[in-house]
Amino acid sequence: MMTETQTIGGAKRPIARILLSGLPPALVTAAGAWLVERWRADLPNPVATHWDATGTADRFSSISGTVSLLIVFGVLFTLIGVGLALFAPHSTIARFSSATGAGTAAFATTLVTSMTYDQRG
């Protein structure tokens, strides 16, 4: 276990926490974006991105737009997680926020990637 710390604003922050707050959402997002890009030849263009209550697609996006959406979510939640790990006033808030950021990035990536996967072929 890493016990090294980084002093920020007078508070010591474990380097492992800082890395763990940013690495998981970045890796999950990169994997999702890579998969959607890899499936490009098998996907319709545009792909459905939203469905109404009856299950009929009512919003569409380009494949590049879908990949961009994944990347934007990943960058956003990575920055939120790292920022809170660095600057949250209490370690409990930093841990909770980092986990929430990573979980939200994983959820959004899984949702978009699985909806896109179902449109292959």
Side-chain angles (χ1 to χ4, degrees):
M1 175 89 185
M2 294 177 121
T3 57
E4 295 181 38
T5 59
Q6 177 73 32
T7 303
I8 298 168
K12 291 186 182 255
R13 306 292 173 154
I15 292 173
R17 181 189 316 149
I18 297 166
L19 291 174
L20 287 173
S21 64
L23 199 56
L27 291 175
V28 167
T29 301
W34 176 78
L35 282 172
V36 171
E37 189 60 41
R38 183 175 169 171
W39 300 332
R40 182 180 287 272
D42 298 333
L43 292 169
N45 197 6
V47 293
T49 55
H50 189 271
W51 292 262
D52 63 17
T54 64
T56 304
D58 61 358
R59 301 274 194 287
F60 299 88
S61 175
S62 67
I63 297 167
S64 297
T66 303
V67 171
S68 297
L69 175 70
L70 287 168
I71 292 169
V72 167
F73 268 119
V75 168
L76 176 68
F77 286 106
T78 298
L79 291 175
I80 289 170
V82 170
L84 288 168
L86 289 171
F87 300 110
H90 192 275
S91 64
T92 301
I93 295 169
R95 286 192 301 269
F96 179 76
S97 300
S98 296
T100 301
T104 303
F107 173 74
T109 300
T110 302
L111 183 66
V112 172
T113 304
S114 64
M115 288 187 314
T116 305
Y117 174 81
D118 288 340
Q119 299 177 60
R120 294 176 63 197

